[in-house]
Amino acid sequence: MEGHDVGNELLRSVTHPDSAEEPGSPALACEHYGSPQQEVTATMRRNDSYLPVPGEEKSLDVDFVNTKDGSDESIPMKNRYADDGSPLYPRQGPYFSDGQRRVDYVLTYQIQKPNSIRRQSSRFGDNNFIQRFCHSLNVRSRRADAHPKEDPEIAAQDQRTDYHEDDKRFRREEFEENILETGLELERDERTNIPGIGFMKIHAPWNVLCREAEFMKLKMPTKKNYEVKHGSNLVEKVRLFIHKVTAPLHPKVDTSRQQSVKFLSHPFSREKQHLFDLSDRDKFFDSKTRSSIVYEVLKRTRCTRAKYSMAYRSRSFKDSTADGSVNRGITSLLANGVYTSAYPLHDGDIEGVNAEPNDRKLLYEQWASYSYFYKYQPIGLIRKYFGEKVGLYFAWLGVYTQMLIPAAIVGVIVFLYGCATVDDNIPSMEICDPRHNITMCPLCDRACSYWKLVTACGTARASHLFDNPATVFFSIFMALWAVLFMEHWKRRQMRLNYIWDLTGFGEEEEEEHKDHNRAEYEFRVMRKTIRKEHPTPKREESEKGKEKGKEKLTCTDRLPAYLTTLVTMVFMILVTFAIVFGVILYRISIKAALHMSTYSARSNIRATVKGTAAIINLVVIIILDEVYAAIARWLTTLEVPKTDKSFEDRLIFKTFILKFVNAFTPIVYLAFFRGRLVGRPGNYLYVIGSYRMEECAHAGCLMELCIQLCITMLGKQLIQNNLFEIGIPKLKKLLRRKRSDLDSKQEEELNRSLHRHEKDHILGPFVGLSPEYMEMIIQFGMVTLFVASFPLAPLFALLNNIIEIRLDAKKFVMELRRPIAAKAKDIGIWYNLLRGLSKVAVIVNAFVISFTSDFIPRLVYQYMFSVDGTMHGFINHTLSYFNVSDFQPGTDPLQPMHLGYRVEICRYKDYREPPWANTPYELSKEFWVVLAARLAFVVGFQNVVMLMSDFVDWLIPDIPKDISLQIHKEKILMVELFMKEEQGKRQAARDNHNQDNCNSPSSANQSPPRPRSRPVSHANCC
């Protein structure tokens, strides 16, 4: 096929000068499927050849079609612009140029113009704002990290091949011809306000929508409805009472819809159109459904001409693509740069006096506003506009935030209990009592000297706020809370499945809705096929008889990628450990340096070291989060997963492992390892020369663990949420405005002149829900895993999520392109991660209470070693003795007279024998008693809480009773509906048969065969 350009002649409506057809009627994409006109048009497309349109003619927006027979007769195309350049149809909504047909999907591509035209100025002559603006947006789109399922052009970013522009144009032409053959209607728009970008607008007529809806088995509401009756049990009455009380908190959407009536849904069928309400065809398929139908068609439409495939020209490659096994669908074309982006359009504008009412504007007013933070989310409208997958995410986020309210209240009560009882805590009172003249051993070698235990009074009192008997109760409560949250979400999810008609969305439907093979996978299969097809006679003989297109990637093919993934993951985890170890060395060295400084700087040494180390950990965590996300995507791309579902699951698993290790390694070290491998005075454990391992404060490491958790949670939420998601987009917008010469009025005028598809192109691409889920999963881990050390974690999470919901809403409605609606009946792998974290949280909190806090040592002392059964004497019981003459050479303090007297015996926190015992400095029997009690508590706590959790899980059914009854009722009503339909058909057939017998000329002479049980009477025949 010779070089050609479809241009606008193939894609816009054709109007012959001599034809009687109305100017606005389409000719290439007929409204009636299978009509003779469409067949003739399709034949014309297949037989015609197209020549490039010169640049001078392109600028006139008049197109011509030249036929193969060399005829000079041309057919002028419909002109969208008047002589003065103004559009004939000024409507700027999501419609074709005729203002009637709706734009259901948009493809964009690069326009290559001649140099003479390229040097001309744009519509805004003196201003190059649009060019810079669009260039920055294109760079942002190319750098976007997303999943191809959610926004198909993101699949292009991993392996994009450099194509010659002619190849891209040829493949676009073939693809667009194939699209037209499916019945879709196209319109090209290259006279846009965005230089260098062409738009291909796609419209799905009614017949295509019906055909594809039947093929996809889309459930649509029928005419039959029934009354939804609520249950009469106590739970349902309580739920209805709460619903009535909280009625003012519900958003003002869907006010006209009767909540007590539900329409039966059934998979759409053209043969059973009488079951559906087709009185308004424009609203039967909403914009979300229309765009998803077009996307399915684009995925199936193949571009199989081997001449233009992936820059290979060999015969073997032609053979490998001749059957269409490669280069199928829009994803492959996006991956190869044939099209630059593909997206459905938003419904309309959200701001301005002239903005027409639409779902997007309603979402902006009732959902994406911080002033509505106290209201429920319009989940039904979110699902209607964005699809089930996005709707389930926001429904889950709403349930999670709602469940955080009781957890935050109980956490605050536990914290207030600690504040109220701090003055009655005997251990902290003993530490703060100056009459207890307890001299402690140095905290570091040489630079540190002896110190008084009374100086740790503030730390001891602060530790009691988080280390008190109420924290044990709170740990048990949070374990049960996690189970209740999971059960509540399962019931809420089942209720949404019933409302959204997803109860029958099973494995067969999921299999049908799976994406085609990913473009990268097909590209690798193609390369493997090429390597096997050597042009030797023996090779050709051996390959004969083998079925084409059956090649696939095996584990052997992926083995290098798997080994790379394993080595890289282990290396990244070791990097995280090394960074944590570096922070440990920072704390040790800074502490020694501050001790050698002046006395005025020594007063807050511990607070300074703790705070700065926690901030360093936070900065490292935020930086590594971004690095690990990119590495996880790169590793997943190396493995070349076959489908988008497999790609998503592998990416989520790798990202979760790396981010979980990154976020929780410093916390795990503080909780379980710091102060455990220290040694004792005279025999300390050293790392890297003279650096001594860190010790905990006398009140334990729980306070430092609390500080680390607090700074990490607040820092990640404030920086990653507010700075990254709010500040950076606003900063980019400010910089773009500063670079351009347009003031606010000119920019507003420019925005007003843009069409809907141009405005949406300026928006950012949808990057999927994985980042949003991952952020909440890490937060859920911090709320549940170490809640025994930080009871205020649920409160901070609640405050963050209240802002997060509105922030995500504003981002989805205003800043991102509309995602492709995807069906889903659950949240997928994220539920398994949540369930796993809730199980691990029980074990982690048991170890935190046993080994990090002093809860178990206090109980052991009070009931086994205390003389009067109280906590008096507990501090002295936990301190061991050390003779300063037993210091190793070169480790004793440089200033032994720092306290004003010579110290002979100092104390340190441990259970060891005194220097005058038979076995000096060996572990005492108290140590083994406390260790046994700690292990017994871990086993008992874990089993009791797990048993209680399983009991709650068993007690609460996954499916609400009223929902199960309604589902059963729907099945019965559907069976009755079809039974009535069959009876009607049989009755109509019987009547027609009787009428035929009455009208038959031979009926008077020859009687028809009659059944024995019911003879047919002809008395009423005319």
Side-chain angles (χ1 to χ4, degrees):
M1 182 175 178
E2 298 176 358
H4 58 278
D5 187 0
V6 175
N8 296 338
E9 65 274 18
L10 179 63
L11 308 171
R12 292 186 187 154
S13 303
V14 180
T15 305
H16 195 280
D18 300 329
S19 103
E21 187 176 332
E22 293 181 4
S25 63
L28 289 183
C30 305
E31 291 293 331
H32 301 286
Y33 179 71
S35 63
Q37 182 184 3
Q38 186 177 4
E39 293 177 1
V40 172
T41 306
T43 305
M44 180 191 71
R45 288 196 304 268
R46 286 192 294 268
N47 296 333
D48 288 354
S49 62
Y50 308 94
L51 299 177
V53 180
E56 294 79 3
E57 295 178 358
K58 271 188 181 177
S59 62
L60 296 176
D61 200 28
V62 179
D63 305 317
F64 303 91
V65 178
N66 298 328
T67 57
K68 271 188 177 180
D69 56 6
S71 171
D72 295 331
E73 181 182 354
S74 62
I75 303 176
M77 310 304 295
K78 182 179 69 175
N79 200 339
R80 293 178 53 233
Y81 298 93
D83 295 336
D84 59 353
S86 61
L88 292 175
Y89 304 96
R91 188 174 185 180
Q92 295 186 346
Y95 298 95
F96 272 21
S97 58
D98 56 14
Q100 302 296 324
R101 291 173 290 173
R102 182 183 181 87
V103 178
D104 299 316
Y105 212 80
V106 172
L107 305 177
T108 67
Y109 54 92
Q110 293 287 342
I111 299 176
Q112 294 294 325
K113 294 185 178 181
N115 292 333
S116 59
I117 295 182
R118 223 176 277 169
R119 286 192 296 267
Q120 294 178 6
S121 60
S122 64
R123 288 180 66 180
F124 295 88
D126 298 333
N127 285 316
N128 57 358
F129 164 73
I130 302 178
Q131 223 163 4
R132 291 191 205 153
F133 190 58
C134 299
H135 175 70
S136 64
L137 288 171
N138 290 336
V139 172
R140 180 178 65 178
S141 298
R142 285 194 295 269
R143 292 180 180 175
D145 182 22
H147 193 270
K149 171 66 182 174
E150 310 302 331
D151 196 359
E153 74 267 21
I154 304 304
Q157 313 309 326
D158 294 331
Q159 292 184 1
R160 173 159 291 188
T161 311
D162 239 351
Y163 266 69
H164 194 273
E165 290 304 318
D166 287 340
D167 288 339
K168 295 181 182 179
R169 179 165 51 85
F170 291 153
R171 298 189 69 193
R172 278 200 301 270
E173 291 169 2
E174 183 199 357
F175 186 69
E176 289 157 5
E177 290 176 9
N178 295 338
I179 291 176
L180 287 171
E181 290 178 357
T182 64
L184 296 177
E185 299 176 2
L186 308 179
E187 181 180 75
R188 191 189 303 276
D189 185 7
E190 294 186 353
R191 286 187 63 177
T192 66
N193 295 324
I194 303 179
I197 298 294
F199 295 89
M200 181 62 64
K201 296 179 283 187
I202 305 175
H203 167 74
W206 172 255
N207 60 305
V208 176
L209 293 174
C210 294
R211 183 191 71 210
E212 296 299 325
E214 182 176 0
F215 176 75
M216 297 168 61
K217 297 182 180 179
L218 294 181
K219 278 190 173 183
M220 305 302 294
T222 63
K223 299 177 182 178
K224 178 70 174 178
N225 58 48
Y226 66 96
E227 184 179 359
V228 178
K229 294 183 179 180
H230 300 284
S232 59
N233 56 6
L234 180 62
V235 177
E236 288 303 317
K237 290 182 179 179
V238 171
R239 191 180 67 83
L240 290 176
F241 174 76
I242 295 176
H243 182 79
K244 291 180 180 179
V245 171
T246 59
L249 301 180
H250 291 273
K252 297 178 181 179
V253 296
D254 293 336
T255 54
S256 60
R257 181 180 176 182
Q258 298 181 6
Q259 300 294 333
S260 59
V261 176
K262 187 177 186 297
F263 288 88
L264 288 177
S265 294
H266 186 264
F268 185 82
S269 174
R270 287 173 289 182
E271 295 180 355
K272 297 176 177 152
Q273 290 191 17
H274 58 278
L275 297 178
F276 306 94
D277 183 9
L278 304 180
S279 57
D280 189 354
R281 292 187 173 186
D282 293 335
K283 294 183 180 180
F284 183 73
F285 295 106
D286 56 15
S287 59
K288 172 206 65 172
T289 306
R290 296 175 68 98
S291 62
S292 62
I293 288 175
V294 174
Y295 177 59
E296 290 295 326
V297 175
L298 295 180
K299 285 197 305 182
R300 295 198 316 267
T301 304
R302 297 178 177 180
C303 185
T304 58
R305 290 183 187 172
K307 183 176 180 180
Y308 317 122
S309 296
M310 295 195 182
Y312 283 93
R313 304 300 185 193
S314 64
R315 178 178 179 273
S316 61
F317 175 72
K318 291 180 183 180
D319 293 339
S320 67
T321 59
D323 61 348
S325 61
V326 184
N327 303 329
R328 67 177 69 172
I330 185 63
T331 305
S332 179
L333 299 179
L334 288 164
N336 297 313
V338 178
Y339 291 101
T340 57
S341 61
Y343 52 89
L345 295 182
H346 282 290
D347 278 356
D349 293 325
I350 55 179
E351 296 175 336
V353 181
N354 299 325
E356 298 179 358
N358 55 75
D359 289 342
R360 187 190 184 197
K361 185 177 182 181
L362 190 59
L363 284 172
Y364 173 73
E365 294 172 351
Q366 298 292 328
W367 181 46
S369 175
Y370 292 108
S371 59
Y372 287 88
F373 73 93
Y374 60 93
K375 287 195 173 185
Y376 290 99
Q377 301 180 84
I379 298 299
L381 187 60
I382 296 171
R383 173 252 180 181
K384 178 186 174 185
Y385 192 77
F386 293 108
E388 285 79 6
K389 198 167 187 179
V390 176
L392 278 176
Y393 164 71
F394 283 103
W396 173 83
L397 184 57
V399 169
Y400 173 47
T401 305
Q402 187 178 0
M403 288 294 292
L404 282 173
I405 296 176
I409 293 174
V410 176
V412 171
I413 292 174
V414 170
F415 178 75
L416 294 178
Y417 170 81
C419 295
T421 59
V422 66
D423 292 331
D424 300 330
N425 184 38
I426 296 177
S428 61
M429 292 171 61
E430 289 184 347
I431 293 176
C432 296
D433 192 350
R435 294 175 298 179
H436 292 82
N437 189 18
I438 300 177
T439 303
M440 304 297 294
C441 296
L443 297 175
C444 62
D445 293 343
R446 304 296 287 171
C448 302
S449 185
Y450 306 105
W451 56 285
K452 291 290 187 179
L453 182 60
V454 70
T455 58
C457 175
T459 305
R461 290 173 62 87
S463 297
H464 178 72
L465 303 178
F466 306 98
D467 186 7
N468 55 72
T471 57
V472 180
F473 158 76
F474 190 55
S475 300
I476 300 175
F477 170 82
M478 288 302 296
L480 298 178
W481 172 88
V483 177
L484 289 173
F485 163 59
M486 304 300 291
E487 292 300 317
H488 180 38
W489 166 244
K490 282 194 294 187
R491 292 171 62 86
R492 172 65 171 161
Q493 184 175 259
M494 197 62 209
R495 190 175 295 276
L496 291 176
N497 286 340
Y498 162 72
I499 297 173
W500 296 348
D501 297 316
L502 295 173
T503 51
F505 188 74
E507 295 181 359
E508 294 181 2
E509 286 79 3
E510 288 178 356
E511 194 69 27
E512 290 177 1
H513 284 85
K514 274 186 179 179
D515 291 338
H516 295 277
N517 294 344
R518 300 180 67 249
E520 291 81 3
Y521 178 84
E522 293 185 346
F523 182 74
R524 287 286 301 273
V525 171
M526 177 203 67
R527 291 174 58 185
K528 181 180 178 181
T529 306
I530 292 175
R531 287 196 300 266
K532 285 190 174 183
E533 294 180 352
H534 296 294
T536 59
K538 292 184 179 180
R539 188 66 178 176
E540 290 181 357
E541 287 292 331
S542 63
E543 294 295 329
K544 274 186 179 182
K546 286 189 177 181
E547 188 177 358
K548 296 287 184 180
K550 294 298 182 181
E551 288 289 346
K552 64 179 181 179
L553 297 184
T554 62
C555 291
T556 305
D557 299 325
R558 291 191 175 102
L559 184 60
Y562 289 154
L563 293 177
T564 303
T565 298
L566 179 62
V567 172
T568 306
M569 293 278 287
V570 172
F571 176 74
M572 290 295 104
I573 293 174
L574 292 178
V575 166
T576 303
F577 292 165
I579 292 176
V580 172
F581 184 70
V583 176
I584 294 172
L585 294 181
Y586 163 81
R587 278 198 293 256
I588 296 172
S589 58
I590 291 297
K591 186 184 296 184
L594 291 178
H595 274 288
M596 295 177 65
S597 61
T598 59
Y599 181 79
S600 60
R602 292 187 182 183
S603 56
N604 296 318
I605 289 177
R606 281 189 178 274
T608 303
V609 174
K610 291 176 187 176
T612 55
I615 293 174
I616 292 174
N617 276 325
L618 170 65
V619 173
V620 169
I621 287 172
I622 293 176
I623 294 175
L624 288 184
D625 269 353
E626 303 300 321
V627 175
Y628 286 165
I631 291 176
R633 174 165 288 274
W634 173 68
L635 292 176
T636 308
T637 305
L638 284 182
E639 295 176 3
V640 196
K642 185 176 181 179
T643 62
D644 288 333
K645 176 67 174 168
S646 176
F647 184 96
E648 183 181 14
D649 290 344
R650 296 186 187 203
L651 177 62
I652 289 172
F653 177 75
K654 294 181 182 65
T655 308
F656 174 75
I657 292 295
L658 292 176
K659 290 194 173 185
F660 184 86
V661 171
N662 180 41
F664 288 97
T665 298
I667 299 172
V668 170
Y669 164 75
L670 289 175
F672 303 124
F673 293 98
R674 182 173 180 179
R676 310 294 172 193
L677 305 174
V678 178
R680 61 170 180 82
N683 189 22
Y684 283 113
L685 178 64
Y686 293 90
V687 291
I688 308 181
S690 60
Y691 287 104
R692 202 170 89 189
M693 287 298 293
E694 292 181 292
E695 297 182 52
C696 291
H698 182 77
C701 288
L702 202 66
M703 189 62 194
E704 296 185 25
L705 177 62
C706 175
I707 293 174
Q708 181 67 54
L709 273 169
C710 181
I711 292 180
T712 302
M713 278 197 70
L714 291 178
K716 280 178 66 68
Q717 292 171 0
L718 290 176
I719 295 177
Q720 287 189 330
N721 294 355
N722 297 339
L723 180 61
F724 288 0
E725 298 187 15
I726 299 178
I728 291 181
K730 288 188 175 182
L731 180 62
K732 288 182 178 180
K733 186 176 181 181
L734 182 64
L735 291 176
R736 287 196 299 266
R737 183 179 298 176
K738 188 175 181 181
R739 289 175 184 174
S740 66
D741 299 330
L742 300 178
D743 54 21
S744 58
K745 291 185 178 180
Q746 290 175 330
E747 188 174 357
E748 184 179 351
E749 194 68 28
L750 168 64
N751 187 60
R752 194 176 299 143
S753 66
L754 294 176
H755 292 81
R756 179 77 266 149
H757 56 276
E758 295 171 333
K759 293 178 181 179
D760 285 8
H761 184 266
I762 294 175
L763 300 177
F766 177 61
V767 298
L769 293 172
S770 294
E772 312 296 337
Y773 272 116
M774 189 66 65
E775 179 185 342
M776 291 294 105
I777 293 296
I778 297 298
Q779 184 200 87
F780 180 81
M782 291 191 174
V783 167
T784 56
L785 289 179
F786 295 93
V787 72
S789 60
F790 189 40
L792 294 179
L795 176 63
F796 290 153
L798 174 63
L799 297 177
N800 171 78
N801 289 2
I802 291 175
I803 302 175
E804 179 74 17
I805 290 175
R806 306 302 163 178
L807 176 64
D808 286 346
K810 191 177 288 290
K811 181 170 63 175
F812 271 75
V813 174
M814 298 182 62
E815 300 175 4
L816 298 178
R817 296 173 189 164
R818 188 175 184 177
I820 300 165
K823 279 189 176 295
K825 64 183 301 182
D826 52 41
I827 61 176
I829 191 176
W830 302 108
Y831 180 82
N832 298 329
L833 293 177
L834 287 169
R835 196 167 187 83
L837 283 176
S838 63
K839 298 293 184 183
V840 174
V842 177
I843 303 173
V844 171
N845 281 299
F847 276 95
V848 169
I849 295 171
S850 297
F851 289 91
T852 308
S853 73
D854 284 337
F855 177 74
I856 299 300
R858 290 171 185 167
L859 288 180
V860 171
Y861 174 78
Q862 185 174 0
Y863 293 105
M864 293 187 64
F865 300 105
S866 177
V867 177
D868 53 359
T870 64
M871 293 301 297
H872 291 286
F874 172 72
I875 297 300
N876 186 64
H877 176 75
T878 58
L879 297 177
S880 299
Y881 295 88
F882 177 73
N883 193 335
V884 298
S885 61
D886 293 333
F887 272 122
Q888 291 181 354
T891 61
D892 55 320
L894 292 175
Q895 300 177 355
M897 300 294 294
H898 172 71
L899 297 177
Y901 57 88
R902 181 174 295 277
V903 177
E904 296 182 356
I905 298 292
C906 63
R907 309 290 295 274
Y908 62 98
K909 188 176 181 180
D910 204 349
Y911 291 102
R912 291 183 179 272
E913 298 288 347
W916 53 81
N918 294 329
T919 54
Y921 306 127
E922 294 294 330
L923 295 174
S924 62
K925 66 175 183 178
E926 289 85 354
F927 172 83
W928 300 109
V929 172
V930 171
L931 179 61
R934 283 173 165 168
L935 295 176
F937 178 84
V938 169
V939 175
F941 182 89
Q942 173 187 343
N943 285 279
V944 170
V945 175
M946 288 287 190
L947 183 63
M948 295 172 63
S949 301
D950 292 340
F951 176 74
V952 172
D953 191 359
W954 170 81
L955 188 64
I956 302 176
D958 294 343
I959 304 178
K961 187 176 180 180
D962 63 320
I963 296 299
S964 61
L965 293 176
Q966 298 297 341
I967 293 174
H968 183 66
K969 182 178 179 180
E970 273 196 3
K971 293 180 180 179
I972 295 176
L973 291 175
M974 189 61 68
V975 171
E976 291 178 355
L977 179 63
F978 282 104
M979 289 295 293
K980 288 182 180 179
E981 182 186 2
E982 291 298 324
Q983 291 176 1
K985 287 182 178 179
R986 286 197 297 267
Q987 184 65 34
R990 189 179 298 113
D991 294 341
N992 291 336
H993 180 69
N994 295 338
Q995 188 69 27
D996 292 341
N997 291 336
C998 292
N999 296 333
S1000 176
S1002 60
S1003 60
N1005 301 325
Q1006 183 179 358
S1007 61
R1010 304 177 183 178
R1012 296 179 181 177
S1013 59
R1014 183 181 298 179
V1016 179
S1017 174
H1018 297 276
N1020 295 329
C1021 295
C1022 298

